[in-house]
Amino acid sequence: MKRKAYITSTGSYLPESILSNEMICEMVDTSDEWIQERCGVKERRILKDKDKATAYMAAEAAKKALQKGGISKDDIEVIIVATATPEHPFPSTASIVSEMLGIKRAFCFDVSAACSGFLYALNIGARLIESNAYKSVLVIGSDKMSSIMDYTNRNTCVLFGDGAGAVVLKPTNNGFGIGESLLETDGSGYQNLYQKAGGSLFPATADTVLNKEHSISMNGPAVFKMAVENMVGCCKNLLEKHQIQKSEIDYLIPHQANKRIITATADYLEMKMEKVALNIHKYGNTTCASIPICLDEWSSKFKNGDKLILCAFGAGYTYGSTLVTWNSGLEENV
Ligand code: UT7
């Protein structure tokens, strides 16, 4: 059977500090009721330590994944970090994570695809394994969204939180693992969701700071419409392309941007909510971290051979879906 990659272990890291809706209500003109009803968020986690950021959370999640899988750090050949809030503009956060984990000589790089970042990174990692080039890939999604949040802007600050999730990929020849995928980008709406300044077009100046152009800027309703259209669309197209019936899917693992977007995707798939990974109420939108955190929290439910559909939509616009046949590692692997 064709060599594939499978998720051999998962880990996640959530900062201890909780930012509740009640606390947000003291910062901006909003209400617990509005946030829960329109977004599905009750609270989020915030990394408060001034000397810690995206790489720290990524390394903590990775340590847990390695420990859970009984995998030595010395086995890791590739580290891919998906993030929208890198430790620095350069070098890559993955380089810093390799140092934090004490991993030498690995092939390390970041993936920038906003909320679809983990899905993009997972697919790159899987293809590296399928190509026979590598046997052990660490894929991490980590974001310190609080570092680019304007806590006076109710359009964005109610939604986002900090966190990280990690998976270790290994090869298998039992036909299970990371399967068909559909990843696309539509650049036409990039200005509806972005961090305007701090890059090469608008480097940091006193004005960019004063104008809060280093914080996330979002046209919520425009992004919402595209998110529903594309989360549903990429699941539909993937299933149709590979002639897979909705009834064959056991679990939906969606990016956690807004509970209403998740529900719309679940409705299309005719999936009961108990089969949908949901943690937006606890963590808000953790951008690149949301899918791997869900995988870590839900993996104990998955049985060998269960079919999962992972899907995401984010700034760019980036979006995609991936089918995973869960491999509990009980079958013979290569
Ligand atoms: O992960 C990357 C992708 N990101 C997303 O997918 C996010 C997509 N967008 C959304 O989730 C939603 O658009 C939001 C949650 C950001 C906003 O929800 P909405 O239902 O689209 O609200 P809206 O902006 O259309 O505003 C509806 C009403 C307005 O009041 P009026 O004009 O009807 O009186 C807003 O002023 O809700 C008001 N509003 C708020 N009220 C209390 C907007 N934001 C808030 C708020 N608290 N935070």
Side-chain angles (χ1 to χ4, degrees):
M1 214 144 348
K2 185 176 168 273
R3 176 175 160 117
K4 282 188 173 180
Y6 81 104
I7 296 171
T8 177
S9 70
T10 62
S12 59
Y13 173 83
L14 277 313
E16 273 175 24
S17 180
I18 291 174
L19 180 62
S20 66
N21 285 353
E22 288 69 27
M23 292 154 92
I24 290 264
C25 290
E26 287 169 17
M27 301 169 172
V28 290
D29 178 18
T30 189
S31 66
D32 174 42
E33 194 188 3
W34 192 94
I35 304 173
Q36 288 207 46
E37 201 178 297
R38 304 304 293 165
C39 316
V41 184
K42 288 184 187 161
E43 57 189 40
R44 27 352 257 122
R45 301 297 181 93
I46 303 294
L47 184 63
K48 287 230 162 136
D49 315 52
K50 290 272 181 286
D51 59 340
K52 293 190 174 96
T54 297
Y56 168 79
M57 295 191 293
E60 289 302 302
K63 278 183 207 164
K64 290 187 190 160
L66 292 173
Q67 195 181 21
K68 225 193 225 183
I71 299 158
S72 159
K73 66 178 172 57
D74 301 326
D75 284 352
I76 299 298
E77 300 165 306
V78 183
I79 304 175
I80 313 176
V81 176
T83 185
T85 52
E87 195 92 341
H88 303 284
F90 77 92
S92 70
T93 300
S95 307
I96 300 162
V97 170
S98 75
E99 180 61 18
M100 286 176 165
L101 295 175
I103 294 176
K104 301 287 176 202
R105 305 184 65 193
F107 167 33
C108 302
F109 59 96
D110 289 0
V111 166
S112 168
C115 295
S116 311
F118 178 79
L119 213 52
Y120 275 41
L122 184 75
N123 275 275
I124 296 166
R127 305 308 157 230
L128 290 174
I129 284 182
E130 281 169 20
S131 72
N132 244 319
Y134 298 95
K135 293 195 299 289
S136 213
V137 178
L138 180 57
V139 183
I140 309 170
S142 181
D143 269 304
K144 187 179 177 183
M145 296 307 290
S146 61
S147 67
I148 56 164
M149 211 47 58
D150 171 4
Y151 285 101
T152 65
N153 180 354
R154 70 176 186 174
N155 292 329
T156 51
C157 76
V158 299
L159 285 169
F160 294 90
D162 302 339
V167 301
V168 180
L169 303 181
K170 296 244 182 205
T172 176
N173 60 4
N174 68 2
F176 290 1
I178 296 161
E180 294 77 9
S181 203
L182 188 151
L183 299 166
E184 293 179 357
T185 303
D186 168 6
S188 65
Y190 85 91
Q191 286 170 327
N192 283 331
L193 180 51
Y194 73 151
Q195 183 188 334
K196 186 173 177 184
S200 55
L201 185 58
F202 299 110
T205 63
D207 280 345
T208 63
V209 173
L210 273 177
N211 296 335
K212 298 187 173 173
E213 289 169 357
H214 296 270
S215 302
I216 189 168
S217 155
M218 179 170 77
N219 175 348
V223 176
F224 184 91
K225 185 172 172 288
M226 291 302 283
V228 172
E229 221 170 280
N230 287 297
M231 291 269 283
V232 170
C234 64
C235 289
K236 183 173 186 282
N237 294 341
L238 183 66
L239 296 186
E240 279 176 6
K241 188 172 169 195
H242 299 281
Q243 298 184 327
I244 295 162
Q245 303 303 312
K246 292 173 186 175
S247 57
E248 290 176 56
I249 306 296
D250 297 294
Y251 291 98
L252 168 64
I253 317 293
H255 167 55
Q256 311 278 308
N258 184 316
K259 192 176 174 194
R260 289 182 290 140
I261 299 172
I262 296 170
T263 310
T265 315
D267 285 350
Y268 164 72
L269 289 169
E270 294 164 19
M271 190 154 282
K272 289 190 182 123
M273 283 314 278
E274 64 256 30
K275 295 287 186 178
V276 180
L278 200 69
N279 58 23
I280 188 168
H281 53 293
K282 296 190 284 184
Y283 311 133
N285 180 351
T286 54
T287 305
C288 292
S290 76
I291 291 181
I293 294 171
C294 283
L295 285 171
D296 189 41
E297 291 192 336
W298 281 64
S299 58
S300 60
K301 296 180 199 278
F302 307 148
K303 292 195 289 296
N304 207 30
D306 275 352
K307 281 196 176 358
L308 281 47
I309 188 162
L310 278 46
C311 74
F313 175 88
Y317 300 120
T318 54
Y319 49 92
S321 56
T322 297
L323 286 164
V324 173
T325 305
W326 194 254
N327 187 349
S328 60
L330 298 173
E331 302 293 313
E332 189 196 332
N333 297 310
V334 288

